[in-house]
Amino acid sequence: MPIEELVDSTFPAGLDAAKLEDILKEAPSDLRFHLSSGALESFSNTIPLLYPRGYLQVQDIFVTDFNQYRLGFHGPGKLDGSIVNWVNGVLLREVGERAGYDVHFAPFQYRKGSKTSILYTTQRE
């Protein structure tokens, strides 16, 4: 849906229409992407539970740059036999950084050719 129509939408914790507009100011125009509401809400609720020197590690299929949505198919895919959508890692990173956490992505090295990557989060010092 066009961003103008998002004003009345319900957003996951840590995100609202104004923040989304700010995040998208550097994104390509006419961009279609997953909001990943469930993942964003779960992430926002989990990171405050981390110990000050603790970290969160998640394995999934993430889009880590908005341009990836323009360059290829990032719709439903397979992960260990189940159909899943790619998780919008760009929004996870933004929500995490706004909450005081650093969010990084690393390749999943345990299965050659896998689309899976590893998100890890630490509290910013």
Side-chain angles (χ1 to χ4, degrees):
M1 73 175 50
I3 197 160
E4 296 81 25
E5 293 179 22
L6 290 175
V7 176
D8 297 328
S9 297
T10 303
F11 286 89
L15 189 65
D16 59 32
K19 287 181 186 174
L20 183 59
E21 237 182 303
D22 187 43
I23 292 166
L24 293 175
K25 70 180 175 199
E26 301 295 323
S29 61
D30 195 24
L31 178 70
R32 296 165 194 256
F33 60 89
H34 299 104
L35 188 54
S36 301
S37 299
L40 279 168
E41 195 161 329
S42 177
F43 181 72
S44 295
N45 291 333
T46 302
I47 54 176
L49 301 174
L50 292 175
Y51 288 106
R53 293 190 179 264
Y55 66 94
L56 174 68
Q57 182 175 324
V58 179
Q59 298 171 11
D60 213 322
I61 48 177
F62 296 100
V63 175
T64 58
D65 183 315
F66 278 126
N67 277 316
Q68 288 176 295
Y69 283 113
R70 291 183 328 119
L71 301 175
F73 178 71
H74 292 87
K78 290 266 190 183
L79 180 66
D80 295 333
S82 60
I83 296 177
V84 295
N85 279 322
W86 289 57
V87 178
N88 192 325
V90 180
L91 293 180
L92 287 175
R93 181 185 298 122
E94 289 290 333
V95 167
E97 287 180 357
R98 289 168 190 263
Y101 295 85
D102 290 321
V103 177
H104 307 277
F105 296 93
F108 185 77
Q109 301 176 20
Y110 308 105
R111 189 179 314 131
K112 195 171 186 94
S114 174
K115 299 291 185 189
T116 302
S117 57
I118 300 170
L119 170 148
Y120 61 97
T121 306
T122 55
Q123 192 170 20
R124 200 174 304 129
E125 296 196 28

